[in-house]
Amino acid sequence: MTEMMTVTAPKPPSDINKRSLPGSIILHTMLIIASIAMVYPLLWMVSASVRPQDEIFSSTSLIPSSVDFSSYVRGWFGLDISFGRFFWNSLVISVLTVTGNVVACSLAAYAFARLRFAGRNFWFAIMLGTLMIPYHVTLIPQYVLFLNLGWVNTILPLVVPKFLASDAFFVFLMVQFFRGIPRELDEAAMMDGCSAFRIYWKIMLPLSLPVLATAAIFSFIWTWDDFFGPLIYLNDMNTYTIQLGLRTFVDSTSASDWSGLFAMSTLTLVPVFFFFLFFQRLLIEGIATTGMKR
């Protein structure tokens, strides 16, 4: 007796696409509207940087009545000190911060993830606990310390702590990444006579480029956009960063140069954009892969 089996034919892909088409259109429409809402302030700032001063706050249109690039020249050379000086100061602080965070945090993370020493779990818990301490709680003790060291009005308070693995977030991020790298690589290297530092330098770092790039990107962006830190420690205008330099365009006692402010604000976005563009492949790879897949 031959059993007859009824097999249901799969639905044609065209039918599935037709059913999901309305939902896809609605979803993409909502995403486009949300994107426009998020990008509009940025486009308005760029537009305001090239429009006449009296039209900046009188219109919400992105198309200026006339284009005037003199605000860029006025913003760059209009202060007592060229705005290029502020760019240089921010660049120096940002590069040193990135270097300090990548080097110091990776060393600390390697120790917590790979080395065995007394109290490792205790000190790791203490480090994680520092993430819950608000920055303002430690601000006054740190300021008193740096004042006694004679570091106030220099970039040292903004840079030196980064070389001491003070950013626990990056240490934790790297520890989690290092733990995903097979320990067999360490054991094989030890059998070949490699020291702990050589394993870190020759094995761990090359396999950890995605997480290192992630730490570098966030360190650069956070430092480049930092206003509070430089405001506390920098008093001399020659040491101002771009964020403090932008504040000088707004004067509460006289007319403010809004077009120059928006022009320089537009220029300050360029380094961040290119820095992210250069490291975006490693950043995406760090999110999508682990050390074992590299």
Side-chain angles (χ1 to χ4, degrees):
M1 180 176 180
T2 305
E3 296 182 358
M4 301 297 294
M5 298 182 63
T6 303
V7 179
T8 302
K11 296 181 179 180
S14 57
D15 295 341
I16 299 177
N17 293 336
K18 289 180 180 179
R19 290 185 178 183
S20 61
L21 183 60
S24 178
I25 293 176
I26 296 175
L27 178 61
H28 283 79
T29 302
M30 294 176 61
L31 291 176
I32 292 174
I33 295 174
S35 301
I36 294 175
M38 289 185 292
V39 175
Y40 173 79
L42 176 62
L43 297 179
W44 184 88
M45 182 185 69
V46 176
S47 175
S49 67
V50 296
R51 68 174 59 195
Q53 184 89 357
D54 56 349
E55 295 183 6
I56 292 180
F57 297 109
S58 62
S59 174
T60 59
S61 174
L62 297 178
I63 302 176
S65 60
S66 61
V67 178
D68 182 13
F69 290 97
S70 63
S71 58
Y72 285 86
V73 179
R74 188 173 64 255
W76 192 268
F77 299 104
L79 301 176
D80 295 336
I81 298 176
S82 172
F83 208 83
R85 179 68 180 179
F86 304 147
F87 262 87
W88 174 253
N89 293 337
S90 292
L91 182 62
V92 170
I93 295 174
S94 299
V95 170
L96 291 177
T97 298
V98 169
T99 304
N101 275 336
V102 170
V103 174
C105 292
S106 62
L107 283 170
Y110 173 70
F112 282 125
R114 288 304 211 233
L115 303 183
R116 299 184 181 274
F117 54 90
R120 181 182 65 171
N121 295 333
F122 171 78
W123 292 115
F124 185 69
I126 293 295
M127 183 208 69
L128 292 180
T130 61
L131 291 173
M132 296 179 285
I133 300 177
Y135 174 72
H136 302 84
V137 173
T138 60
L139 175 62
I140 295 178
Q142 286 182 355
Y143 183 85
V144 173
L145 173 63
F146 294 139
L147 181 63
N148 293 331
L149 292 175
W151 288 4
V152 175
N153 203 28
T154 67
I155 66 172
L156 295 179
L158 303 174
V159 173
V160 172
K162 307 303 179 181
F163 286 86
L164 302 176
S166 61
D167 286 331
F169 171 75
F170 295 127
V171 177
F172 173 74
L173 185 69
M174 294 180 186
V175 166
Q176 297 304 111
F177 193 91
F178 288 166
R179 286 175 176 173
I181 299 178
R183 285 187 174 272
E184 288 79 3
L185 298 176
D186 299 28
E187 297 172 357
M190 289 181 181
M191 294 180 62
D192 291 338
C194 289
S195 62
F197 180 79
R198 191 174 180 85
I199 294 174
Y200 158 80
W201 184 257
K202 294 292 186 180
I203 297 178
M204 302 299 291
L205 287 188
L207 293 176
S208 305
L209 289 181
V211 72
L212 297 179
T214 302
I217 289 174
F218 284 113
S219 295
F220 185 87
I221 294 176
W222 291 347
T223 305
W224 188 266
D225 294 337
D226 185 24
F227 174 79
F228 190 69
L231 178 65
I232 296 298
Y233 295 110
L234 303 180
N235 303 321
D236 186 2
M237 195 171 183
N238 288 304
T239 62
Y240 277 10
T241 61
I242 57 172
Q243 305 305 328
L244 297 182
L246 291 174
R247 188 191 62 166
T248 60
F249 285 97
V250 181
D251 189 355
S252 59
T253 60
S254 61
S256 300
D257 186 4
W258 293 108
S259 59
L261 171 63
F262 292 132
M264 294 301 99
S265 298
T266 302
L267 291 182
T268 59
L269 297 178
V270 176
V272 175
F273 173 76
F274 281 103
F275 192 86
F276 178 81
L277 188 66
F278 182 77
F279 286 106
Q280 67 170 339
R281 182 184 63 83
L282 292 176
L283 177 62
I284 296 174
E285 187 176 353
I287 298 174
T289 65
T290 63
M292 185 178 296
K293 293 182 180 180
R294 284 187 58 81

